[in-house]
Amino acid sequence: MSLWVKQHDPNHMVAVGEEGFYSSSTWKHWVNPDAFFVDGIPWARNSGQDSLTDNGAPTIDYIGVQSWPDRWGLPGLWFQKIWLREHINDAWWLRKPLVVEDFGKLVFRDNAALRRSRRDPFFEAMYRKFEESRKFKGPLKGLIFSNLDASSSSPRSPTSVRLSDSTWTKIIKPQTEKLISDAEKEGLVSGCVPGSSRSLDAVFLEGTNIYYMSNGPNLVATSDWGDIAAPLVGVSMDECIDACEWRGGSCRQIRYNPLLDGGTCVLRANGERKFKWSPEGWQTFFRMVGSNKCKDKKCKLCDQSFFPRCLKCKTGRLVLGDDHLPKCE
């Protein structure tokens, strides 16, 4: 199914969407909650899930897991720490980001002190691990708690987090504000240009109006013809572009794979702009010529479309405007 999605919508991020259990065929089934019960029913290992195998597929973009120790019969914080640690190890091994897509703590009595003593330690531990991953560039990239309840009506759900709860005011809100503040300081990822509906990868040639633009990682033009030279092996992206420029007008696009033989480059003539997903890591870049006569006076380089998008600013950074077009801050 994930391959089918990638073939029809290659820009769509895909995850499995499971709790993260391990099957009995893998040595990691000891991490499952059912493994901690003597003579217990092996419901988790027989659930049909196998987190390592399922998330190892090349068409799966990130690992998604859940954490509900209460519902699994292990309400202690110790199990959540083991569960999270082992899935972080999996993410390192698979070289994929990890998102805890659903987690929480059940509190059945509507009592503020009880929520502070029972629920807050679970949320503190989860957000502490997330902050640790950010600091040391680890694979844990996102958390989604359950669930935000903006109302004040009664009765409340055992999982609900309200804006007056200490879980929100002392843990979630400060962490979120810090994340937003840090993101604003860091700016956009280098080489990533916001588009009207998604980010586009671009490489600029300094001192010129030439740039190489792609529709994203692992997307290659569908045409199998047009190679104008033998593949270049063991080259960087910059060396691949230099080779294309040296060919002059005959080279209109490049295919580049950083994972193959230390970097493999294919120089190509202009082909059709239809794309397919490349699980091997290939990416097509088209040679483009921009303009320095941009509507936005702060813009240094824009494309030559009917509605020109800014690609590079004279100063500052690109942000996405209210009209969903990039502009200089």
Side-chain angles (χ1 to χ4, degrees):
M1 177 58 75
S2 61
L3 177 60
W4 184 91
V5 172
K6 287 296 185 182
Q7 289 173 338
H8 290 78
D9 185 5
N11 291 303
H12 199 122
M13 293 192 73
V14 177
V16 178
E18 60 188 17
E19 286 93 339
F21 301 140
Y22 301 90
S23 77
S24 56
S25 63
T26 175
W27 65 273
K28 291 205 71 172
H29 64 78
W30 71 267
V31 183
N32 288 334
D34 58 18
F36 294 87
F37 293 91
V38 178
D39 297 328
I41 299 173
W43 58 270
R45 74 188 74 173
N46 293 335
S47 65
Q49 301 178 27
D50 192 352
S51 186
L52 270 175
T53 302
D54 296 343
N55 290 295
T59 47
I60 298 300
D61 296 296
Y62 68 92
I63 302 169
V65 300
Q66 300 179 20
S67 181
W68 285 101
D70 292 295
R71 293 173 177 171
W72 300 338
L74 296 167
L77 182 56
W78 61 271
F79 177 75
Q80 177 178 279
K81 291 180 177 180
I82 293 174
W83 183 252
L84 188 58
R85 181 194 69 200
E86 291 304 314
H87 282 289
I88 289 175
N89 290 340
D90 292 348
W92 280 115
W93 174 256
L94 295 174
R95 300 178 66 183
K96 293 185 179 183
L98 170 67
V99 177
V100 181
E101 296 180 321
D102 189 16
F103 77 94
K105 177 67 175 174
L106 302 178
V107 181
F108 290 97
R109 288 172 54 195
D110 189 359
N111 182 286
L114 199 61
R115 286 191 290 272
R116 281 194 300 271
S117 63
R118 291 190 179 179
R119 185 173 64 193
D120 285 8
F122 281 78
F123 277 68
E124 286 174 352
M126 188 70 78
Y127 278 91
R128 191 183 307 117
K129 204 66 179 177
F130 173 71
E131 192 60 33
E132 177 185 302
S133 183
R134 289 187 62 232
K135 181 179 180 180
F136 296 104
K137 301 186 184 302
L140 181 56
K141 301 298 184 183
L143 302 175
I144 304 175
F145 71 91
S146 181
N147 58 316
L148 180 63
D149 181 1
S151 71
S152 58
S153 59
S154 295
R156 60 186 291 166
S157 165
T159 63
S160 69
V161 177
R162 292 187 173 174
L163 302 182
S164 58
D165 291 350
S166 58
T167 314
W168 176 264
T169 61
K170 302 295 185 181
I171 303 172
I172 301 172
K173 188 172 183 285
Q175 286 283 351
T176 304
E177 290 174 343
K178 183 180 185 302
L179 182 63
I180 294 172
S181 176
D182 290 346
E184 289 175 345
K185 294 175 184 176
E186 293 169 3
L188 295 176
V189 177
S190 176
C192 182
V193 181
S196 58
S197 60
R198 60 176 179 269
S199 294
L200 304 176
D201 293 335
V203 179
F204 301 94
L205 272 62
E206 292 297 332
T208 73
N209 287 351
I210 299 171
Y211 63 98
Y212 285 72
M213 180 76 78
S214 88
N215 274 52
N218 295 81
L219 292 179
V220 292
T222 54
S223 58
D224 294 324
W225 54 269
D227 294 3
I228 60 175
L232 304 174
V233 178
V235 297
S236 65
M237 180 66 180
D238 290 338
E239 291 171 329
C240 184
I241 290 176
D242 289 342
C244 185
E245 289 298 302
W246 184 81
R247 288 274 175 168
S250 62
C251 181
R252 306 302 300 172
Q253 64 171 265
I254 60 173
R255 279 187 178 182
Y256 186 70
N257 190 334
L259 307 176
L260 182 63
D261 297 328
T264 301
C265 167
V266 177
L267 308 180
R268 316 196 80 216
N270 213 9
E272 61 180 342
R273 299 207 175 193
K274 295 181 180 179
F275 298 91
K276 62 182 179 181
W277 173 256
S278 170
E280 298 85 8
W282 287 98
Q283 185 172 359
T284 295
F285 289 81
F286 290 92
R287 186 182 187 274
M288 311 285 286
V289 179
S291 172
N292 55 15
K293 296 180 180 179
C294 306
K295 183 178 180 181
D296 186 349
K297 299 303 180 184
K298 297 180 181 179
C299 185
K300 183 178 181 180
L301 182 68
C302 55
D303 65 18
Q304 296 181 330
S305 61
F306 187 74
F307 296 102
R309 294 175 301 175
C310 185
L311 300 170
K312 198 171 185 181
C313 299
K314 294 177 181 178
T315 58
R317 63 188 181 96
L318 280 173
V319 296
L320 206 59
D322 295 335
D323 55 359
H324 301 291
L325 293 174
K327 66 177 183 178
C328 293
E329 194 176 45

